């Protein structure tokens, strides 16, 4: 794009006069009045910049315009999102762009410094909203509402150093869906995850992974690792950065900035680097340290219940605890016995030829447990197991990694069965 703003004032005035020239229409007078008013304002603004000849017309740092072409895409995306919210019975809500400063500054802890404060122009200290959560809580309290399922789409503002390349802006849009109230455990939570899955699928994002967490498990984990309770929130803030930082960098922050001993940080690392879904929950139940913490056990019980509901909703394979899926592999070809490399090679070749993303271990005689653990660790949804008995019976086992359910499928029908399952996921 050509650089704007490095022109003398007269050139700018000529450009604006050209741009603001009223079109010919049935009612030229109204258009001309608006055009003349706009030209007057802009000309006045240009005069104020006589002493700053290098003035550049641009959007404020950390903000952006959306062109008509971009708005078409944006509106289609929001239509998918809002339609899903409504399908699940949510009511629309809107709140002011600014709130009382005291209400916002008391609810964001160390992030309070990112709130945009407004000058006192009407007898109240105000701030632009940081997110859509506190305004929702304020709305419930004002109207004495104990239950509400609502959605809210609107702009929020955060006074931070923007990194546009990473999609971080000072002004951006949030789409919130909340179910407020007291309900039986994990039922609303499961519906929220179902909504996320529906939206991402509706936007045709085929390969996505939903991460879930329970604060009780995190706090229990910190406790058994030796983190002082006064540092729980600060350490949790560091752990949250694992999405964008390596464990080495997060560990360094915990030790150098948060004051943890290296030994405590390493114990935390043993937990936060684990990956998996329902199987990881079962694994944590067996952990000798974590199983002794009542708070963690309560969280694990609820998380186990959540995964049961997610299985009923058909999205358990898309949902895991504290994990990022780094592979697009759909099927893993495994064997429980030795000397089955040739059968695995023939089977995986059929899957590849059918366009199915598949892989296997590059070993002659891999252990079945290590193969299954790899699938759970990486989030591969399906495993095909072939062994001596299966070969003799002309079948293979098809295993769902998330539910651990296994079914027998005729060897000649395995490609069709896998394609069917993948199309339904």
């Amino acid at each position: 794009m050509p650089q704007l703003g490095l022109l003398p004032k007269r050139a700018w005035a000529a450009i604006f006069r050209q741009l603001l020239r009223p079109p010919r229409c049935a009612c030229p007078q109204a258009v001309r009045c608006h055009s003349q008013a706009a030209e007057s304002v802009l000309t006045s603004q240009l005069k104020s910049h006589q002493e700053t000849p290098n003035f550049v017309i641009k959007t404020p740092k950390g903000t952006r315009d959306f062109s008509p072409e971009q708005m078409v895409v944006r509106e289609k995306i929001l239509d998918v999102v809002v339609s899903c919210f409504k399908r699940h019975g949510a009511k629309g809500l809107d709140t002011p762009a600014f709130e009382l400063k005291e209400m916002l500054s008391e609810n964001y802890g160390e992030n309070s410094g990112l709130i945009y404060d407004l000058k006192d122009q009407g007898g109240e200290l105000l701030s632009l909203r940081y997110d859509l959560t506190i305004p929702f809580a304020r709305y419930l309290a004002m109207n004495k509402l104990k239950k509400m399922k609502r959605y809210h789409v609107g702009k929020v503002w955060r006074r931070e150093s923007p990194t546009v390349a990473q999609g971080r802006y000072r002004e951006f849009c949030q789409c919130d869906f909340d179910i407020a109230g007291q309900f039986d455990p994990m039922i609303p939570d499961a519906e929220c995850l179902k909504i996320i899955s529906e939206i991402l699928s509706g936007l045709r994002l085929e390969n996505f992974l939903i991460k879930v967490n329970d604060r009780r498990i995190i706090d229990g984990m910190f406790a058994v690792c030796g983190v002082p309770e006064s540092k729980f929130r600060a350490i949790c803030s560091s752990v949250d950065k694992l999405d964008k930082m390596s464990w080495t960098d997060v560990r360094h922050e915990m030790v150098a900035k948060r004051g943890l001993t290296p030994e405590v940080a390493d114990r935390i690392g043993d937990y936060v680097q684990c990956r998996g879904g329902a199987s990881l929950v079962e694994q944590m139940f067996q952990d000798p340290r974590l199983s002794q913490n009542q708070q963690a056990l309560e969280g694990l019980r609820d998380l186990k219940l959540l995964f049961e509901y997610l299985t009923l909703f058909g999205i358990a394979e898309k949902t895991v605890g504290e994990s990022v899926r780094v592979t697009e592999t759909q099927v893993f070809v495994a064997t429980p016995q030795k000397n089955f490399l040739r059968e695995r090679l023939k089977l995986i070749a059929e899957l590849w030829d059918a366009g199915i993303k598949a892989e296997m271990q590059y070993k002659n005689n891999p252990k079945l447990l290590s193969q299954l653990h790899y699938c759970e660790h990486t989030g591969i949804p399906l495993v095909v197991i072939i062994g001596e008995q299966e070969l003799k019976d002309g079948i293979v086992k098809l295993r769902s990694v998330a539910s651990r359910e296994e079914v027998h499928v005729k060897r000649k029908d395995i490609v069709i069965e896998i394609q069917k399952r993948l199309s339904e996921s």
Side-chain angles (χ1 to χ4, degrees):
M1 284 185 64
Q3 278 287 327
L4 300 180
L6 302 180
L7 298 174
K9 181 187 68 174
R10 292 179 181 176
W12 275 115
I15 291 173
F16 283 128
R17 280 196 296 272
Q18 182 67 25
L19 291 173
L20 296 171
R21 183 172 295 164
R24 297 181 180 179
C25 64
C27 303
Q29 187 61 41
V31 176
R32 188 176 299 111
C33 288
H34 285 298
S35 181
Q36 290 172 347
E39 182 177 5
S40 175
V41 170
L42 289 170
T43 302
S44 174
Q45 290 177 342
L46 286 171
K47 288 181 179 178
S48 68
H49 291 286
Q50 287 180 348
E51 297 179 1
T52 55
N54 292 330
F55 171 69
V56 178
I57 294 182
K58 68 181 188 68
T59 59
K61 186 178 181 181
T63 66
R64 55 180 168 170
D65 293 322
F66 287 92
S67 67
E69 292 80 8
Q70 291 172 317
M71 284 303 299
V72 170
V73 177
R74 183 185 178 93
E75 288 169 356
K76 286 184 178 179
I77 292 174
L78 289 178
D79 182 59
V80 171
V81 173
V82 173
S83 295
C84 182
F85 290 161
K86 290 181 177 179
R87 185 165 62 249
H88 284 261
K91 300 174 182 178
L93 180 67
D94 193 18
T95 62
F98 46 84
E99 297 276 350
L100 295 177
K101 176 181 178 179
E102 183 179 10
M103 183 176 300
L104 297 183
S105 60
E106 291 183 354
N107 284 283
Y108 295 111
E110 63 181 24
N111 289 328
S112 295
L114 301 181
I115 295 174
Y116 273 106
D117 293 332
L118 304 177
K119 288 186 177 180
D120 177 11
Q121 301 209 6
E124 293 180 324
L125 295 177
L126 306 172
S127 300
L128 291 176
R129 63 189 180 201
Y130 178 88
D131 61 21
L132 303 178
T133 303
I134 298 302
F136 179 42
R138 189 262 307 152
Y139 178 85
L140 292 174
M142 277 183 59
N143 293 278
K144 296 180 172 59
L145 297 174
K146 295 184 177 180
K147 292 183 179 181
M148 186 177 185
K149 181 188 286 189
R150 80 88 170 85
Y151 73 88
H152 187 179
V153 178
K155 287 187 175 182
V156 297
W157 295 267
R158 298 184 182 179
R159 193 186 60 175
E160 59 183 345
S161 298
T163 50
V164 177
Q166 298 177 9
R168 296 179 68 86
Y169 291 85
R170 287 176 169 173
E171 177 188 71
F172 54 94
C173 180
Q174 282 192 340
C175 301
D176 270 25
F177 176 94
D178 284 285
I179 304 175
Q182 295 292 326
F183 306 95
D184 287 339
M186 298 295 114
I187 301 176
D189 306 74
E191 183 179 7
C192 287
L193 294 173
K194 173 65 172 172
I195 287 170
I196 294 173
S197 180
E198 288 181 9
I199 290 173
L200 295 177
S201 297
L203 295 173
R204 298 181 182 178
L205 301 175
E206 299 297 331
N207 297 304
F208 62 86
L209 192 68
I210 304 170
K211 295 183 290 183
V212 298
N213 182 33
D214 191 298
R215 179 56 61 82
R216 293 168 295 178
I217 299 174
I218 292 291
D219 286 352
M221 179 186 73
F222 290 160
V224 301
C225 288
V227 179
E229 188 172 351
S230 61
K231 294 187 176 182
F232 278 12
R233 297 287 73 80
I235 299 303
C236 188
S237 178
S238 294
V239 170
D240 284 343
K241 297 177 182 178
L242 282 172
D243 276 346
K244 51 192 176 184
M245 291 169 55
S246 68
W247 164 246
T248 301
D249 292 335
V250 170
R251 181 186 182 279
H252 176 76
E253 178 177 294
M254 287 180 176
V255 175
K257 184 177 179 182
R258 308 296 188 186
L260 288 189
T261 65
E263 294 77 16
V264 171
D266 289 337
R267 291 186 205 124
I268 294 173
D270 292 339
Y271 285 112
V272 299
Q273 294 183 92
C274 292
R275 296 172 181 169
S279 61
L280 179 60
V281 176
E282 294 295 339
Q283 180 182 329
M284 286 185 169
F285 269 119
Q286 306 303 319
D287 185 276
R289 290 184 298 180
L290 206 58
S291 60
Q292 299 302 311
N293 184 278
Q294 188 59 37
Q295 191 177 25
L297 282 177
E298 290 175 0
L300 287 170
R301 291 190 191 104
D302 277 352
L303 210 53
K304 180 178 180 180
L305 182 62
L306 175 65
F307 274 99
E308 292 178 9
Y309 295 155
L310 296 178
T311 299
L312 295 173
F313 277 151
I315 61 168
E317 293 181 356
K318 293 288 188 183
T319 316
V320 303
E322 295 188 281
S323 173
V324 179
R325 186 176 179 191
V326 295
T327 177
E328 296 184 5
T329 301
Q330 298 165 313
V331 182
F332 189 90
V333 178
T335 183
Q337 295 164 328
K338 296 180 179 180
N339 303 319
F340 265 79
L341 175 60
R342 287 173 176 78
E343 293 300 326
R344 284 187 291 144
L345 292 175
K346 287 192 290 186
L347 180 51
I348 200 170
E350 290 181 31
L351 299 180
W352 287 335
D353 291 343
I356 297 170
K357 299 172 183 175
E359 63 176 293
M360 58 177 240
Q361 278 194 3
Y362 300 133
K363 289 185 178 181
N364 257 317
N365 302 310
K367 294 181 180 179
L368 181 61
L369 187 60
S370 68
Q371 296 170 84
L372 297 179
H373 180 73
Y374 174 78
C375 295
E376 294 176 350
H377 180 74
T378 56
I380 298 174
L382 296 174
V383 180
V384 176
I385 302 174
I386 185 167
E388 185 176 341
Q389 190 61 48
E390 287 81 17
L391 186 63
K392 185 183 299 183
D393 295 339
I395 62 171
V396 292
K397 288 181 182 177
L398 184 59
R399 177 186 176 99
S400 169
V401 174
S403 66
R404 299 188 176 184
E405 294 179 355
E406 293 181 351
V407 296
H408 288 167
V409 180
K410 290 183 180 179
R411 173 68 176 80
K412 63 183 180 64
D413 295 334
I414 187 60
V415 171
I416 296 175
E417 179 61 27
I418 290 174
Q419 289 174 331
K420 177 184 176 184
R421 290 205 182 195
L422 293 176
S423 66
E424 294 172 350
S425 64

